[in-house]
Amino acid sequence: MKVLVAVKRVVDYNVKVRVKADNSGVDLANVKMSMNPFCEIAVEEAVRLKEKGVATEIVVVSIGPTTAQEQLRTALALGADRAILVESAEELTSLAVAKLLKAVVDTEQPQLVILGKQAIDSDNNQTGQMLAALTGYGQGTFASKVEVSGDSVAVTREIDGGAQTVSLKLPAIVTTDLRLNEPRYASLPNIMKAKKKPLETLTPDALGVSTASTNKTVKVEAPAARSAGIKVKSVAELVEKLKNEAKVI
Amino acid sequence: MTIFVIAEHDNKVLAPATLNTVAAAAKIGGDIHVLVAGQGAGAVAEAAAKIAGVSKVLNADNAAYAHQLPENVAPLVAELGAGYSHILAAATSNGKNILPRVAAQLDVDQISEIISVESADTFKRPIYAGNAIATVQSNASVKVITVRATGFDPVAAEGGSAAVEAVSAAHDAGTSSFVGEELAKSDRPELTAAKIVVSGGRGMQNGDNFKHLYALADKLGAAVGASRAAVDAGFVPNDMQVGQTGKIVAPQLYIAVGISGAIQHLAGMKDSKVIVAINKDEEAPIFQVADYGLVADLFEAVPELEKLV
């Protein structure tokens, strides 16, 4: 079966971002960019499904600027077969991305679409669910285990009180949680080979998708800073402060 | 303006996060209707009717909604919610699972995890693991929003007397089915609702050592949390994880033990009123957000702390 994996280029998770002085957004100039950590887990899961003989082809897709090709090449080096970039210079909302992915799903007809549960920049946690709504497929969000058998997939999901398992008819949408797997690193020979794998570029216009949004970001601010605390010398002093100064115990 | 709030429940008990979501709805202003979608959840509907400020409760009782599978619940919410000005749900695993599906069906963008209401169409939400706060305005006909519970003080669970109305609409997409679930059992307060949280990190060294934290937590009536490092190392189950990818807490007192204070962890707890850090590394980033820091070996400090409180 064919597996489609969506990946996003985001600011590297180790970078502490700064808000721009004019409050228009965060400063991403000269900041290290990487593949969103949850997307890495999605690629890894697809590659494992291929290694198990469940998946026959892995198509990786990204929606974003030209530079998102780097993240697609990374995915190809990790084991994806070919890549599609839907090029868009502007920042798109989850719904716009879901609509573009729907157009790609319509042409590619994958049996399984794997996405990360959320991107660490917008922290939205929406795209997978929205794609599931637009395609009418079942959704297995926050997956910690994925087992394909016949024409269905059993997904164990991380929920607030523990874990839940659902069975979905294929085709289906799965979004990855942290504990689904441990992503591998790309080896140098595979990075070289990935340069020769096909990468197709499309545009929202070519796909006939409107990316208009009902949301507008008015401003972006730095969070309120916490006032500096103090270091106490002993446990007794700590207890005394908590009881008499902070009055929380 | 009428606001549609999706109740969070397990068919037996109304979850406290619903009260925070109603509080956000009250800030927006207007009539508040609550939807209870489930199976045999009559007691939940009755509890929802008593919430202060709620004027109507819709009870959709159907086997298809028993486990709140989004494939079945989202069409119900989209159908019932289309006439409302706002649809709100708590940013719990259920809310996050269902609501984006509703938004896409209504063809509107969703606003995730709001922490404040600026006006009926403008909201604040954290982005980049809480390192920036975005003010977002929506011109959608129906504003679809998830609410971060720690951003709003809960409304009173008693005092209302809303009418409960049965909803007959049944949606069964037939694309998904519930197989089973495994819930972690705990006698301590729920992590996201606890007034005091004691959390352990990689510094705990193993799962057995968490007994020191459990002892301290029991004395304080606290919940026990963990950092991602402690969860990934297998010390404790993942539903104890506090952070960007786990639970967001904002208790009165947060005690971080053996936690360095990575960005992803801070995103889950830095709105706590008082933060205490116990760590033997005085350079640990956690001390930059801690109100009270103690540089000490946790294996000596925690038992001593337990004795003194």
Side-chain angles (χ1 to χ4, degrees), chain B residues 68-80:
Chain B
Q68 306 199 21
L69 295 173
E71 296 81 3
N72 302 343
V73 175
L76 171 76
V77 177
E79 181 189 302
L80 296 174

Side-chain angles (χ1 to χ4, degrees), chain A residues 155-208:
Chain A
V155 179
T156 301
R157 311 176 49 237
E158 298 200 354
I159 59 169
D160 285 337
Q164 179 195 63
T165 305
V166 292
S167 172
L168 309 171
K169 269 190 195 153
L170 293 174
I173 313 285
V174 167
T175 74
T176 63
D177 215 321
L178 278 173
R179 270 156 291 276
L180 180 58
N181 60 47
E182 189 119 347
R184 70 193 67 189
Y185 291 97
S187 67
L188 191 57
N190 285 343
I191 293 172
M192 299 313 287
K193 273 184 222 155
K195 291 185 180 169
K196 296 206 178 73
K197 290 185 179 175
L199 193 157
E200 181 188 0
T201 304
L202 300 168
T203 62
D205 284 345
L207 291 169

Side-chain angles (χ1 to χ4, degrees), chain A residues 123 126 139 141 165 216 218 245, chain B residues 71 97 112 135 180 244 292:
Chain A
D123 282 338
Q126 300 173 3
Q139 68 187 53
T141 52
T165 305
K216 188 175 87 183
V218 182
E245 199 175 277
Chain B
E71 296 81 3
N97 195 23
S112 293
T135 304
Q244 182 186 22
Y292 301 107

Side-chain angles (χ1 to χ4, degrees), chain A residues 93-96 130 212-215, chain B residues 103 107-111 138 140 144:
Chain A
T93 62
S94 297
L95 183 62
M130 287 178 158
S213 164
T214 57
N215 280 357
Chain B
D107 195 25
V108 299
D109 279 302
Q110 179 185 294
I111 305 181
S138 167
V144 179

